[in-house]
Amino acid sequence: MDYFKKLLDLLKLEREEDHAQYRKLTEQSSVSERRANGLTWYPIAIRGSEMSRGDYLTVEVERTTHQDISHQLRFGMPAVLFGNYDPQKDRVEGIIAHQSGNKLKITLRTDELPDFARDGKLGIDLLFDDNSYDEMQAALKSANDLSEKPEGTAEGRPLVRVLTGEKTPTFNENLYPISFPKLNISQNQAVNKILSANELAIVHGPPGTGKTTTLVQAIKALIKQENQKTGGVPLLVVAPSNTAVDLLSEKLHEEGLNVLRVGNPARVNERLMSLTLDAKMTDHPMMKNTKTLKKQANEYKNMAHKYKRSFGKSERDQRKLLFEEAHKIMKEVGNIEQYIIDDLVTKAQVITATLVGANNYTVRNLKFHTVVIDEAGQALEAACWIPILKAQKVVLAGDHCQLSPTIKSNEAAKNGLSTTLLEKCVALHPESVTLLEEQYRMHEQIMAHSSKIFYHNKLKAHHSVAKHLLFANDSPLTFIDTAGCSFDEKLGGTSSTNPEEAAFLVKHLSDFVEELKKKFSTNNFPSIAIISPYKQQITILKEQLEHLPDLQEVLAHISVNTIDSFQGQERDIVYISLTRSNTEGAIGFLSDIRRMNVAMTRARKKLIVIGDSATLSNSPFYADFITFSQEIDAYKSAWEWL
């Protein structure tokens, strides 16, 4: 089917571009450069090792220095243990089996520690993640095969045809609607739509509308409904990032559901850890047997290694026998572990994982009735097909008016890879969509522009937040126009900067903080975000903040970062530095208005946007916003402060 062939071609382009960028980062770079780019832990110390599934060796390591550098080493990613004498030769590949804080476990494709691990410095290098691409590619090929099976056969699943637009979704009209007192009208409508859908339901959740709360209640209701039909097959709940999976796992657990978290959580806390497969296996009564057996296997291996330096025939035979015995025991361990995994999976009501994690060896061959994909607006379509192929019905939840997934290849993005499955399905099947209409975050003036541009003016502010302010008579929204102030942008590397605008913002913030200090103690001080779309501008803002003595005592309440890193978060006060100011009216990627939707909707009680109207007003989105700010008396000129 052309639909999947096109997706496969685009995925191939993305993989090639991703690979090229990875090679550029690694091939010509030193260990310290790779470490700075978050691809390497070096130096590390080995803290322990144990036999694991399939006779492989799992080694626990800890990074001993440079612990504050953020890194990309995550559960399930391919990596290599290397020695510093000859990193090209002294290397063993493996998979990261666990990562938390400054420790990780790597399962090496070998049954004993290599000789180079005994002396010299060691490190862990991240390898290019071909596995995720392989999984996505395999899923698209399987989906393509399904789409070509004749309708009406068991394999020609209606879900695939609905998602590709060949069929219209169907609903069970005979269900008696249910109502949750905790939920508002549109949230209850969403739950009922999910329960009545036979193939597809979509929850469109704009910022602050309680999408997670709605999903949790819907999942509880689905489990009840499906238990009557299927006799207790668990529900599969997935999201593109570990952080999103963690949030849902915790909320579902708090509601009293038996949740099994497959994969490795990003948030390392006791509550979440207890939901993981590892923790549940450890607590399983049959696990004692495997501990004893593993110990025995390790003893046989150690005995075998004593023969390493003697090479007579009898020693060789003896060594072989010991290895065979260890191998036999580990096979037995594997069988017991598999039995425990099957037992835990059967008892779970909900299985949670990332999109690619939905093909983890523990659940690879399972079929589900329903899969719920949260944050579907940030999910690459190819990755969504991994869990979808396991189900007959899918629930997509997210907001396609916020940030879409990051695509490395411009060509792939331009030809449609950045268009998500959520976006396509909203356009194809409006009858499946429920818009959550009431938001619990923002003052109504902060919400108004987004509601008009993105949500057809349907968004309402709940009475608890509609009028809330930092203090009496404060204004919730201010646009500060820097036109005519000669705050000209500069190009720093590949990113725009505007040092004068940054200095103006920090001075304005400093004055405002002085005013706030009269009204708030340090403990209950409002939270503040300073946001800019441009990385270099963020660097400048951070530097300027650090040098202002007046702000030091409230610095803990201030976060400074790019828009992308604030998605899903909120603050009492948000400053946005739009940065662009030039005579051509060029606004670059400020024209991605979905990104601005995210930035503007982070604020609860006060939003201050700083920018040059002369440059911005070439874009209808910004021109509208400036007009709106004038109408509600929120427009100010920077000259008032200069």
Side-chain angles (χ1 to χ4, degrees), residues 56-58 74 76-82 91-97 104-110 124-129 131:
Y56 289 147
L57 184 73
T58 297
R74 301 279 179 272
M77 296 190 84
V80 59
L81 174 76
F82 67 87
R91 49 190 286 129
V92 185
E93 292 190 6
I95 296 284
I96 296 174
L104 66 77
K105 287 181 178 174
I106 178 169
T107 300
L108 299 172
R109 295 201 181 95
T110 173
I124 299 268
D125 251 342
L126 204 55
L127 293 174
F128 182 72
D129 187 11
N131 174 52

Side-chain angles (χ1 to χ4, degrees), residues 221-232:
L222 273 170
I223 289 169
K224 210 166 166 185
Q225 182 191 58
E226 288 184 10
N227 278 349
Q228 292 155 3
K229 280 195 242 164
T230 59

Side-chain angles (χ1 to χ4, degrees), residues 449-637:
H449 185 59
S450 276
S451 178
K452 177 188 167 192
I453 303 289
F454 296 101
Y455 309 110
H456 314 291
N457 265 332
K458 285 186 179 163
L459 219 49
K460 298 188 291 284
H462 185 258
H463 64 82
S464 62
V465 300
K467 307 277 184 218
H468 69 178
L469 296 167
L470 284 166
F471 50 84
N473 302 323
D474 186 38
S475 53
L477 177 70
T478 310
F479 172 71
I480 302 177
D481 188 0
T482 63
C485 295
S486 302
F487 292 178
D488 296 332
E489 66 180 75
K490 322 260 183 296
L491 192 64
T494 53
S495 183
S496 296
T497 62
N498 194 324
E500 282 102 342
E501 183 178 289
F504 175 82
L505 184 154
V506 171
K507 176 77 176 81
H508 187 282
L509 169 68
S510 178
D511 294 345
F512 189 45
V513 162
E514 284 311 306
E515 196 181 332
L516 291 172
K517 279 182 191 168
K518 295 169 192 159
K519 296 175 168 65
F520 297 95
S521 70
T522 314
N523 291 341
N524 72 344
F525 204 80
S527 56
I528 302 171
I530 300 174
I531 302 179
S532 171
Y534 295 97
K535 274 192 185 140
Q536 298 294 124
Q537 183 74 347
I538 291 298
T539 309
I540 291 177
L541 283 160
K542 280 182 177 168
E543 283 167 4
Q544 298 198 0
L545 269 183
E546 279 162 18
H547 296 129
L548 265 190
D550 310 355
L551 291 176
Q552 295 316 303
E553 62 188 282
V554 297
L555 264 187
H557 301 271
I558 304 175
S559 339
V560 191
N561 221 324
T562 57
I563 298 172
D564 302 47
S565 59
F566 275 110
Q567 176 139 330
Q569 299 185 45
E570 53 187 77
R571 296 290 189 276
D572 295 319
I573 304 164
V574 170
Y575 275 85
I576 303 175
S577 165
L578 292 175
T579 310
R580 301 305 298 260
S581 173
N582 54 65
T583 47
E584 298 77 49
I587 60 167
F589 87 151
L590 282 190
S591 54
D592 179 359
I593 59 173
R594 292 193 292 191
R595 190 171 253 109
M596 282 321 294
N597 183 31
V598 173
M600 289 174 168
T601 53
R602 300 307 96 199
R604 286 194 281 253
K605 299 177 180 176
K606 191 174 186 73
L607 172 65
I608 300 165
V609 182
I610 300 174
D612 178 346
S613 65
T615 301
L616 297 167
S617 47
N618 289 319
S619 149
F621 173 81
Y622 295 101
D624 266 6
F625 174 67
I626 294 164
T627 306
F628 169 67
S629 66
Q630 285 166 330
E631 284 163 4
I632 60 165
D633 202 24
Y635 174 91
K636 301 272 183 271
S637 164

Side-chain angles (χ1 to χ4, degrees), residues 393-457:
K393 162 173 165 177
V394 65
V395 178
L396 298 175
D399 183 9
H400 52 288
C401 304
Q402 292 186 60
L403 289 169
S404 54
T406 309
I407 309 289
K408 307 239 167 100
S409 158
N410 292 335
E411 192 185 341
K414 204 167 68 221
N415 288 310
L417 194 64
S418 58
T419 308
T420 58
L421 185 63
L422 175 70
E423 214 171 329
K424 291 178 185 176
C425 288
V426 167
L428 284 168
H429 306 302
E431 66 276 32
S432 290
V433 183
T434 311
L435 174 73
L436 303 181
E437 294 179 353
E438 197 161 21
Q439 63 84 15
Y440 298 82
R441 177 184 296 166
M442 296 162 268
H443 188 287
E444 58 191 7
Q445 286 186 0
I446 296 174
M447 168 204 85
H449 185 59
S450 276
S451 178
K452 177 188 167 192
I453 303 289
F454 296 101
Y455 309 110
H456 314 291
N457 265 332

Side-chain angles (χ1 to χ4, degrees), residues 209-218 247-248 251 374-375 436:
T209 51
K211 171 176 64 73
T212 306
T213 308
T214 308
L215 272 189
V216 168
Q217 296 308 320
L247 176 69
L248 265 172
K251 295 270 191 244
D374 191 20
E375 299 298 356
L436 303 181

